[in-house]
Amino acid sequence: MARKSYQEKLEELREDVLYMSEVVMERLRMGLSALEQKDTELADEVMEGDSEVNELYLELEQDCIELLALQQPVASDLRFIASTFKIITDLERIGDLAVNLGEYTHDAEHDRFPDVDIQAMGELTLEMVEDAMIAYDTEDTDGCRELAERDDDIDQFAERASGIVVRDLIERELDSPEEVERILQDVSRLLLTIRDLERVGDHAVNIAARTLYMVENDDELIY
């Protein structure tokens, strides 16, 4: 394969990864909306759309393998392909977490803990994913480092939210075993939602870490 054609293939790969990220972020937005609105039809759409994300992942995985096999990449190209492979894995997992939100929607009949702002946490994580992909597209290493620092905000948000839930559970007076069971189910679902959104933030940091490695051969955010 001519070098020019090979470089074109690399650029096509980047564009396809950006498309996959748009699909994944839209699924995450839909999952958050479904949860907020208790919209089970929208939740079903999110869950059914997981197959599209999986297909994109498999196609891009194959593209990475073919690019490695077509010719010996120079060091920078090799880092780009290897980092891209890791990034699509993170995107696929974010898609799985969006599916979880759809599943939680089916059991979320009401907001038992209104002081926990899941939507605000969701917006923060969405912004992190979006900014991570912008950094990947523009090779913005300063943006990668800045995004990694923002992960502390997500962790603190998750810790505060979990604390609110636990304190409410301790202080609440429960009248029957049935009510205990219902509340424990709500608590479990909410804590899982918090955990999943925290993981979205972690995947965004992973994307930034791989981008930094791709551009500068710097693994400081990976370890």
Side-chain angles (χ1 to χ4, degrees):
M1 175 178 286
R3 188 68 188 175
K4 180 179 179 181
S5 179
Y6 186 74
Q7 290 298 329
E8 289 172 350
K9 290 289 186 181
L10 292 176
E11 189 54 38
E12 286 177 7
L13 176 61
R14 188 193 302 269
E15 292 173 0
D16 289 343
V17 171
L18 292 170
Y19 173 74
M20 180 182 178
S21 73
E22 290 293 335
V23 173
V24 168
M25 285 188 286
E26 181 58 22
R27 296 298 171 189
L28 186 56
R29 291 188 190 96
M30 291 166 62
L32 287 164
S33 295
L35 194 60
E36 181 180 31
Q37 301 166 16
K38 312 297 183 292
D39 187 338
T40 55
E41 290 186 4
L42 183 59
D44 289 340
E45 188 176 345
V46 174
M47 291 186 284
E48 291 165 3
D50 189 48
S51 59
E52 179 185 4
V53 174
N54 291 338
E55 288 170 7
L56 287 170
Y57 170 77
L58 291 174
E59 289 172 6
L60 289 170
E61 179 187 55
Q62 186 61 37
D63 288 344
C64 290
I65 293 171
E66 290 178 359
L67 283 167
L68 289 170
L70 285 171
Q71 78 176 50
Q72 291 283 342
V74 298
S76 59
D77 290 345
L78 182 60
R79 289 199 308 274
F80 170 73
I81 297 168
S83 297
T84 294
F85 179 79
K86 291 289 189 179
I87 286 169
I88 63 174
T89 301
D90 282 298
L91 290 173
E92 190 274 334
R93 289 174 180 169
I94 293 172
D96 290 341
L97 295 169
V99 169
N100 288 354
L101 297 181
E103 293 174 350
Y104 302 150
T105 299
H106 280 273
D107 297 320
E109 297 178 359
H110 54 272
D111 293 320
R112 194 181 292 274
F113 303 95
D115 291 337
V116 178
D117 195 343
I118 288 297
Q119 294 302 312
M121 186 176 184
E123 286 299 322
L124 287 174
T125 56
L126 261 170
E127 288 173 6
M128 287 183 67
V129 177
E130 183 175 13
D131 290 347
M133 294 310 303
I134 290 173
Y136 168 77
D137 183 29
T138 61
E139 300 189 349
D140 180 4
T141 55
D142 289 337
C144 291
R145 293 185 175 93
E146 186 272 336
L147 188 141
E149 294 175 358
R150 283 157 56 189
D151 190 47
D152 290 339
D153 295 335
I154 297 296
D155 293 341
Q156 291 171 8
F157 197 115
E159 185 176 353
R160 288 195 302 269
S162 299
I164 290 171
V165 174
V166 172
R167 284 195 301 273
D168 184 277
L169 186 60
I170 292 172
E171 296 171 0
R172 187 182 293 267
E173 294 183 5
L174 305 175
D175 298 326
S176 68
E178 291 78 11
E179 185 179 5
V180 171
E181 181 64 23
R182 286 195 300 270
I183 290 178
L184 287 178
Q185 289 176 354
D186 289 344
V187 167
S188 176
R189 183 175 60 254
L190 182 55
L191 292 177
L192 287 172
T193 304
I194 294 168
R195 180 205 64 181
D196 286 350
L197 291 176
E198 189 175 13
R199 286 181 175 176
V200 172
D202 291 340
H203 288 302
V205 172
N206 289 347
I207 292 169
R210 293 297 172 179
T211 297
L212 182 61
Y213 173 73
M214 175 184 82
V215 178
E216 293 188 350
N217 194 21
D218 187 339
D219 61 7
E220 68 173 282
L221 299 181
I222 296 176
Y223 302 108

